[in-house]
Amino acid sequence: MCFKIIQLKPREEAFQTVIKGLKKANAIVICEGKTEVEILKLLAYKMCTGKGTILVTDAGGINLAIDYLRVFLAISRIIKQIKTIGTILDAEDVTPEERFHRIIDSLTSRGIQIKDTKHEGSNLYSFKTNTLQTLIAISGLPNYPKHRIENHLKELQKISNININLTSLKPANLTNTLKHLDIETLKKAFPHIAQLLTSLSQTLH
């Protein structure tokens, strides 16, 4: 059984609409941008290992993604069926581990109680609050000066021998560009996102 993916657009939809959408789901994944959204949806379709409904949203930037995470954590007590919140974002000019700790510091400075922080592997980190589990998948490869999702696409070109014009490729076209690739190749290029989906399937089983 595969996850059911529903995409939300909090920047364009009324907050009441977002809340109604959350009440229909078991988990939410906040993505830094549209590229992460499309890769997540493609991997979820290819892996087809989970069940339940996941709401996916494009935050439109790393700072907004963290703000969305803070908001959804704050309202999680009134949305009982949400078991897990996921976030996919870039490490940028710091290591994935340092990015994770910066997120933790940002959340705790705003009064969110965090416990059981863990490195799950493949640049996937986790922590718990009183109500749910949060998974943080961080894009970043050690052989690049900037740690971004685009570098994972560059690595995908190397291991799959396909040509991706990253300067002109629109996120909406990613699925058509990558859909012919086998799941093992995609998991090798995006291990943090694949691990996020695996962890979600374990949480929502």
Side-chain angles (χ1 to χ4, degrees):
M1 181 179 292
C2 300
F3 286 124
K4 179 181 179 182
I5 304 289
I6 299 175
Q7 190 166 350
L8 283 177
K9 299 179 180 179
R11 289 177 295 163
E12 301 170 17
E13 297 175 346
F15 189 68
Q16 292 90 337
T17 304
V18 174
I19 294 297
K20 288 180 181 178
L22 286 171
K23 290 181 178 180
K24 299 176 183 177
N26 310 110
I28 183 168
V29 178
I30 305 159
C31 296
E32 178 176 336
K34 294 178 180 178
T35 299
E36 289 86 354
V37 169
E38 296 305 317
I39 292 171
L40 175 74
K41 291 193 295 186
L42 177 62
L43 279 171
Y45 171 75
K46 288 276 190 175
M47 291 174 67
C48 200
T49 56
K51 63 180 180 179
T53 300
I54 302 174
L55 293 180
V56 180
T57 184
D58 156 29
I62 188 169
N63 292 330
L64 284 172
I66 297 171
D67 285 343
Y68 283 4
L69 175 59
R70 176 177 56 81
V71 170
F72 287 132
L73 285 170
I75 66 174
S76 61
R77 291 182 181 179
I78 65 173
I79 308 170
K80 303 293 185 180
Q81 73 280 9
I82 295 289
K83 296 181 179 180
T84 306
I85 297 178
T87 305
I88 305 171
L89 41 73
D90 294 340
E92 289 290 352
D93 57 350
V94 298
T95 65
E97 182 177 9
E98 186 173 351
R99 174 61 65 197
F100 173 67
H101 287 299
R102 288 188 181 188
I103 293 169
I104 294 297
D105 290 344
S106 176
L107 295 173
T108 54
S109 70
R110 289 166 171 80
I112 295 175
Q113 300 297 314
I114 290 172
K115 57 186 179 181
D116 297 336
T117 59
K118 292 181 182 179
H119 179 206
E120 305 286 349
S122 300
N123 285 358
L124 180 71
Y125 300 82
S126 69
F127 65 83
K128 292 181 180 179
T129 63
N130 290 332
T131 55
L132 45 72
Q133 181 183 38
T134 298
L135 301 166
I136 310 288
I138 302 177
S139 301
L141 296 167
N143 51 329
Y144 290 90
K146 291 283 187 179
H147 303 298
R148 296 171 176 163
I149 191 68
E150 289 79 10
N151 297 333
H152 290 265
L153 285 166
K154 291 177 182 178
E155 289 299 305
L156 181 61
Q157 289 186 100
K158 295 177 183 179
I159 63 178
S160 64
N161 294 317
I162 65 170
N163 183 34
I164 306 173
N165 190 337
L166 296 176
T167 59
S168 62
L169 180 64
K170 296 181 179 179
N173 296 329
L174 269 174
T175 297
N176 285 334
T177 304
L178 306 179
K179 65 182 180 181
H180 68 283
L181 296 175
D182 65 271
I183 185 56
E184 293 305 319
T185 298
L186 291 169
K187 287 167 67 175
K188 189 173 182 179
F190 308 104
H192 56 314
I193 299 178
Q195 183 63 40
L196 171 68
L197 286 165
T198 298
S199 295
L200 278 174
S201 68
Q202 294 169 351
T203 303
L204 304 181
H205 70 276

